[in-house]
């Protein structure tokens, strides 16, 4: 691209009104050696803490999912004093339990030419070349260890007839590297981590605090030193201090209100840290999962995921003619069906990455060839219309080829779940699916050690931005969570803790008092407004704005409009929200109010990030930047960087820090799955 065109595009950057440009940043922790030696070199260079000294040190871990639970168990086993917090009533209720399809690992059990480098390459390409090379290679490198660890814990992975671990395909790759436990992989992996966590709780190295929600971060002397929590049963506000803090609190997909996330999933822990100085990386990178049960009405509170593994044997199609959309799909002959993914992407077919499958499903429905009941949708001008939002996921070929019993063995619990929710039997009638918000690739910025821009605060799993770029390949979330918790964090946090123990903080330390008073004042403010609108009404309206203007497709005009709408909605929230009850009680309205307040601030930053990135890449699709055939068009000359956002203050603008992405092991290419 010529300099003139670049300058013209820069001159037309509407986002410049909404942010200021800060200093460039870099990850200084990854050694400058060949990609296959970076991790072992860093492990050797990182300072150690001897076992006797570990007993003198404490670490706070927020979250008990795959990343948090495995990190707490591993650090407890190592001899540190771990304080582990979660807002659920049990660590086993963490949202990792909902993951279905599988976990990737480069073991090459199928002898299909898989390797560490191929997993690395597929992940970088799947993320549309917007991930940090060093972090991704490490993820691929430790992936095989995860499987061995979990097998040793007794995780019941599926096995072939001869007893070997079975694998299956997932989107964006042409090898079979995904290990699975039917459609319950997340649950089984979480049970494995939970067993190790409970073992350390019994040993006394980990203290568990369920039903405690983190509502503020304590930063003293420039270091993260603790958290403020609210006991969700009694309302008691408590402060906790330690030598380091780890956030493993998942993603922020519920900013859209309707998503596949559990209703309690939120961004508050990460956002409170962001407001205290932690950079937020690539917030606009959110994933729309192509395989979800379509929305059925206005009163829904969440959407249900159907595992991507179903795309192994299921074939996705819509009628070729709009007039056939009302017909029973079994009455539509083969020649009148459009297997559009197989037609457009013959090399990958139904196993294209999630962002591509999602956009094509939307395109089919926008053409008027969607199936299923019509739902009410508002366009960008607020005009309501009736549209069909669904495509078919058909298993008739697989049942004919493999037999019903074989399909039941692989996908039975998923089929049962679909039938319970929809009342339709997917063995007899094709499933109906449509894209929905699922995962967030963005998150708190971290360096190679998983340390945030606040010294002493580390971020693991989906809560950080580091491994997936602009799109996550299926079955990589569980891989990252366990890699961070079992293998990465325990080998990098030592380097920071080698300088500990730090000076103990008393309850009347200014940093502790400031954090506690800020948290208390916010709660009192929410309870005092006594307006006329419910918290959920604000959340739904925010979700509509985000889905309409910062969802599957974004435009400059729409994003600018969304920023204005969110600002007006936030102002109304703090003037007219009604939070019933009192703090000193079990109060879910209060819990949701604090979370929605943070979602509103995050939603604005997501739109600013999406507006400033005037390119399409992965899950971020700007309508103004696409190829002639409608594929995402990157602009590597301008946007080959991580966008790390710094909090600009209540009345200030966010500050953009760019971390350039340097690709040494992989050649930048325009992504193609055809």
């Amino acid at each position: 691209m010529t300099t003139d065109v670049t300058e013209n595009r820069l001159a037309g950057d509407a986002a410049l009104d909404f942010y200021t440009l800060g200093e460039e940043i870099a990850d200084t922790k990854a050694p400058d050696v060949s990609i296959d030696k970076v991790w072992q070199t860093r492990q050797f260079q990182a300072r150690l803490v001897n076992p006797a000294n570990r007993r003198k040190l404490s670490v706070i871990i927020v979250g008990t999912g795959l990343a948090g639970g495995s990190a707490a168990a591993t650090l407890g086993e190592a001899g540190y004093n771990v304080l582990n917090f979660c807002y659920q009533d049990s660590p086993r209720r963490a949202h990792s339990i909902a993951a279905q399809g599988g976990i990737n690992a480069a073991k090459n059990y199928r002898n299909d030419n898989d390797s560490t480098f191929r997993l690395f390459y597929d992940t970088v390409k799947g993320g549309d070349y917007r991930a940090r090379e060093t972090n991704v290679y490490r993820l691929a490198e430790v992936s095989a260890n995860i499987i061995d660890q979990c097998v040793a814990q007794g995780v019941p992975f599926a096995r072939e007839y001869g007893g070997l671990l079975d694998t299956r395909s997932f989107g964006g790759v042409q090898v079979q590297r995904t290990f699975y436990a039917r459609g319950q992989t997340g649950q089984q992996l979480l049970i494995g981590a939970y067993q190790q966590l409970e073992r350390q709780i019994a040993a006394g190295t980990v203290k568990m605090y369920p039903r405690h929600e983190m509502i503020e971060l304590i930063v003293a002397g420039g270091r993260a030193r603790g958290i403020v929590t609210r006991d969700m049963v009694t309302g008691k506000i408590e402060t906790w201090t330690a030598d380091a803090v780890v956030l493993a609190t998942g993603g922020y997909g519920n900013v859209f209100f309707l998503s596949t996330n559990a209703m309690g999933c939120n961004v508050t822990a990460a956002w409170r840290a962001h407001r205290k100085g932690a950079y937020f990386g690539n917030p606009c990178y959110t994933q729309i999962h192509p395989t979800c049960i379509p929305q059925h009405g206005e009163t829904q509170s969440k959407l249900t995921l159907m595992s991507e593994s179903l795309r192994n044997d299921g074939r996705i199609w819509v009628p070729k003619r709009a007039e056939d959309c009302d017909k029973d799909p079994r009455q539509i002959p083969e020649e009148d069906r459009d297997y559009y993914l197989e037609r457009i992407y013959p090399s990958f077919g139904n196993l294209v990455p999630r962002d591509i499958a999602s956009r094509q499903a939307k395109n089919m429905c926008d053409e008027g060839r969607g199936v299923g009941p019509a739902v009410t949708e508002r366009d960008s001008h607020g005009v309501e219309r009736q549209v069909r939002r669904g495509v078919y996921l058909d298993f008739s070929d697989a049942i004919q080829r493999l037999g019903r019993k074989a399909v039941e063995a692989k996908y039975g619990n998923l089929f049962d779940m679909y039938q319970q929710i929809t009342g339709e039997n997917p063995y007899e009638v094709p499933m109906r699916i449509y894209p929905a918000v699922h995962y967030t690739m963005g998150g708190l910025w971290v360096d190679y050690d998983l340390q945030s821009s606040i010294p002493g605060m580390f971020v693991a799993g989906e809560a950080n931005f580091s491994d997936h770029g602009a799109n996550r390949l299926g079955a990589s979330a569980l891989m990252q969570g366990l890699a961070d918790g079992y293998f990465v964090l325990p080998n990098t946090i030592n380097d920071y803790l080698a300088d500990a123990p730090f000076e103990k903080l008393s309850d009347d330390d200014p940093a502790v008092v400031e954090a506690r008073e800020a948290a208390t004042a916010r709660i009192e403010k929410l309870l005092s407004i006594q307006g006329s609108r419910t918290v959920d009404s604000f959340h739904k309206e925010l979700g509509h704005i985000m889905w309409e203007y910062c969802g599957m497709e974004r435009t400059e005009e729409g994003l600018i409009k969304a920023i204005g709408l969110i600002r007006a909605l936030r102002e109304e929230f703090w003037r007219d929200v009604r939070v019933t009850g009192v703090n000193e009680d079990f109060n879910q309205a209060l819990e949701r109010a604090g979370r929605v307040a943070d979602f509103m601030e995050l939603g604005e930053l997501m739109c600013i990030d999406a507006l400033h990135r005037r390119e399409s890449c992965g899950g971020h699709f700007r309508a103004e930047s696409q190829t002639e055939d409608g594929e995402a068009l990157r602009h590597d000359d301008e946007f080959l960087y991580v966008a790390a956002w710094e909090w600009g203050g209540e009345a200030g603008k966010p500050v953009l820090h760019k971390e350039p992405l340097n690709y040494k092991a992989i050649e930048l290419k325009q992504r193609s799955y055809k």
Side-chain angles (χ1 to χ4, degrees), residues 632-654:
L633 178 62
R634 299 194 322 267
H635 300 298
D636 296 335
D637 56 332
E638 291 182 64
F639 298 105
L640 190 61
Y641 59 79
V642 175
W645 294 92
E646 180 183 0
W647 172 251
E650 293 286 354
K653 298 178 181 179

Side-chain angles (χ1 to χ4, degrees), residues 3-284:
T3 303
D4 290 341
V5 174
T6 300
E7 289 176 350
N8 288 339
R9 209 156 61 222
L10 283 171
D13 184 3
L16 289 172
D17 293 334
F18 300 100
Y19 73 90
T20 58
L21 191 61
E23 295 180 353
E24 194 172 275
I25 61 173
D27 170 29
T28 59
K29 298 289 181 61
D32 187 16
V33 295
S34 62
I35 193 75
D36 59 326
K37 291 184 170 57
V38 175
W39 179 225
Q40 67 185 57
T41 303
R42 178 57 187 150
Q43 285 179 283
F44 179 74
Q45 290 177 348
R47 294 171 295 170
L48 303 178
V49 180
N50 81 58
N53 286 341
R54 292 175 206 159
R55 294 193 292 270
K56 305 172 186 176
L57 305 179
S58 57
V59 180
I60 287 172
I61 298 180
V62 185
T64 58
L66 290 183
S70 60
T74 307
L75 292 178
E77 179 81 39
Y80 293 106
N81 297 294
V82 178
L83 286 71
N84 199 187
F85 297 84
C86 68
Y87 67 80
Q88 294 93 346
D89 56 2
S90 164
R92 275 192 58 189
R93 299 279 291 180
H95 189 57
S96 298
I97 201 171
Q100 298 170 348
I103 177 171
N104 289 329
K107 277 186 167 290
N108 196 33
Y109 279 180
R110 291 278 184 168
N111 197 27
D112 54 3
N113 207 19
D114 197 12
S115 65
T116 295
F117 194 90
R118 190 175 297 279
L119 174 52
F120 160 60
Y121 175 82
D122 286 344
T123 304
V124 173
K125 177 184 175 183
D128 217 350
Y129 302 92
R130 290 296 179 263
R132 188 192 286 154
E133 237 188 15
T134 51
N135 287 66
V136 178
Y137 191 90
R138 177 175 62 190
L139 178 65
E141 195 174 358
V142 304
S143 65
N145 296 341
I146 298 170
I147 304 303
D148 296 340
Q149 171 94 352
C150 294
V151 168
Q153 291 171 353
V155 172
F157 286 120
R159 294 180 181 267
E160 297 175 322
Y161 178 76
L164 299 176
L165 295 182
D166 195 14
T167 55
R168 56 190 177 196
S169 299
F170 256 63
V173 303
Q174 292 177 305
V175 297
Q176 289 183 258
R177 64 162 68 102
T178 304
F179 297 79
Y180 65 98
R182 294 190 80 190
Q184 307 169 345
T185 313
Q187 179 178 354
Q188 298 302 329
L189 292 173
L190 187 63
I191 290 172
Y194 173 72
Q195 289 173 333
Q196 306 312 307
L197 177 61
E198 287 296 312
R199 178 171 173 267
Q200 294 308 311
I201 292 171
T205 63
V206 177
K207 293 182 180 178
M208 188 70 233
Y209 298 93
R211 296 179 177 173
H212 281 67
E213 181 165 25
M214 173 184 162
I215 54 176
E216 192 56 82
L217 179 72
I218 298 172
V219 179
R223 300 176 186 270
R225 292 298 310 276
I227 63 173
V228 181
T229 63
R230 178 179 180 271
D231 186 315
M232 297 166 67
V233 177
T234 67
K236 184 179 181 181
I237 307 300
E238 297 173 275
T239 57
W240 311 83
T241 59
D243 295 296
V245 176
V246 178
L247 299 188
T249 50
Y252 49 88
N254 275 352
V255 68
F256 291 88
F257 185 71
L258 283 179
S259 79
T260 65
N261 291 186
M263 290 179 65
C265 293
N266 64 84
V267 77
T268 288
W271 193 254
R272 295 289 104 192
H274 173 61
R275 288 175 62 106
K276 283 292 182 72
Y279 294 171
F280 211 109
N282 300 332
C284 79

Side-chain angles (χ1 to χ4, degrees), residues 334-353:
E334 192 73 14
E335 60 270 20
D336 291 335
R337 301 180 179 188
D338 181 8
Y339 296 92
Y340 58 89
L341 291 178
E342 299 173 32
R343 170 174 56 83
I344 302 171
Y345 307 99
S347 292
F348 282 74
N350 295 299
L351 290 174
V352 292

